[in-house]
Amino acid sequence: MRGANFGGSPDRRILIVGGGFGAVYTALGLEKLLKPEDRTEVTLVNPENFFLFTPMLAEIVSSQIDTSHAINPLRRMFKRTRFVEGAAKSIDLAAQSVLVRHPNGDEFGYPYDHLVIAVGARVGYFGMEDVEKNSYTAKTLGDAIRLRNRAIALLEIAEIERNPDSRAEILTLVVAGGGFTGVEVAAEINDLIRQAAKSYPSITQRDLRVILVEAKNRILPEFDEGLAAFATKRLRASGVELRTNTTVAGVTDHAVLIKDQDPIPSRTLIWNTGVAPNPLIAGSDLPQTGRGWVKVDATMRAEGWANVWALGDCAQIPDILNPGHNQPALAQHAIREAPALARNIVASMRGEVAQPFHYRTMGQLATLGHFNGIGTIGPFRVQGLVAWLAWRSYYLWRLPRLEKRLRVATDWTVDLIFGRDISQIQTYAATSPKGRDLEDDLYGNPNDEPSTVKGTHR
Ligand SMILES: Cc1cc2nc3c(=O)[nH]c(=O)nc-3n(C[C@H](O)[C@H](O)[C@H](O)COP(=O)(O)OP(=O)(O)OC[C@H]3O[C@@H](n4cnc5c(N)ncnc54)[C@H](O)[C@@H]3O)c2cc1C
């Protein structure tokens, strides 16, 4: 195997599994620290060949940012790290090797001297299989594309639906989970369908319903009560209905089931609550917490393994500034854990002592759509337009690579002038209409027998 990092045969190999904030910024940190004389090859393995900037995902859903503008090709982000497209299937800690499955089905073992686990977390469904099978999520780029298409498909089909009950079901979207991402997704999808509906003559604003369901007695537990109350008021003003103190109990083809309440007639549940560990961890001998996260010390070294490290959402990293607590699962933490982890790997390669990671959250910003936001920046609380502008400025600055920043800034400007693009990104090829099956539940599969002709549409 060629030593892609420095052009020779490596003395040491560092293998990074994952391609999110933790993994990518660890690779970039190592690129800064490692010298050619270290003769160390860094390899990063991820199933997708791009890095997704998740804070902008809700804006991809709402069509404010073009699909490919908040992602960055990993090969363009790295100067010396070797990128390999594939998914880690299993880890052999004793043999120091990770089995990787590539898109063509080939599987290879990747040996390592140091291993970094940064596989993030999965969506958790609390054992509700119906929800897992029949809901939409907002975690990956594919999710965002699917959700945006779904929202527009709902409007298209409602425009021709004449049964009022079916129409009401189609135009009602339920979002489960009133945390930070649930609120952002509800706000953005609400903005999208309300703005898009203006192009559909038979759909009025009153026909549209976005219902946010939250188990606690208020939304946004990440923020103080005042900011959460501001968000509640603004969401309601923009048309989002809030149901607190209750949970989604299941989903059918025509309704979202709500605990101790009447079902909500709806064909679209967006699931934004619950996290679960990546199955790669459960299937390995990595030290794990009771909930299945990788157990590491404050230097991010896995307990009992001197050359295995983990960071980001998949790891439970003790917070030494706040004893008894762990680093939160946030990009702003993963992005700071990564260079500290890179320093610790290099220190341990050079026989030096690894240092504990510490970082205090700087604050948090959330968009509420419609020129609104809330947030804390150090000791300051911000809300409304100021928070929205702060959100846009901060995340634009944080988005990797100038090219993508320019593209996103252009998207935002064009959106302000011309409104949202409401074209559905259909995936079927001219030779095969089968790609349309994403929306089969709304349209029926085009390969099926034609359904009953319902007469002439007025
Ligand atoms: C919609 C949304 C909005 C968010 N907004 C914010 C925000 O505004 N601010 C903030 O601080 N945080 C935000 N977060 C949280 C933030 O995205 C996460 O905390 C952060 O992404 C964690 O980084 P990570 O590297 O641990 O995991 P991830 O970024 O999730 O990356 C995990 C990577 O591992 C890869 N992977 C998984 N399994 C395998 C395998 N078997 N083999 C190889 N690779 C694998 C995945 O493909 C992925 O690339 C948001 C999250 C979401 C979903």
Side-chain angles (χ1 to χ4, degrees), residues 16-24 45-48 50-58 74 86-89 100 118-122 138-140 180-181 184-185 272 278-280 311-315 328-335 337 363-366 391 394-395:
I16 302 174
V17 183
F21 283 92
V24 168
V45 179
N46 192 55
E48 286 161 328
F50 57 81
F51 164 72
L52 168 67
F53 193 70
T54 51
M56 289 182 177
L57 199 70
L74 289 166
K89 301 306 282 179
V100 175
V119 289
R122 289 257 168 116
K139 188 143 176 70
T140 65
F180 183 174
T181 54
E184 286 193 340
V185 168
N272 258 296
N278 190 303
L280 178 70
L311 78 165
D313 288 8
C314 71
L330 283 172
Q332 66 161 298
H333 281 252
I335 232 168
E337 290 157 14
Q364 242 175 313
L365 291 161
W391 187 96
Y394 177 74
Y395 284 111

Side-chain angles (χ1 to χ4, degrees), residues 109-123:
Y110 283 76
Y112 65 82
D113 295 288
H114 282 269
L115 173 66
V116 178
I117 306 287
V119 289
R122 289 257 168 116
V123 178

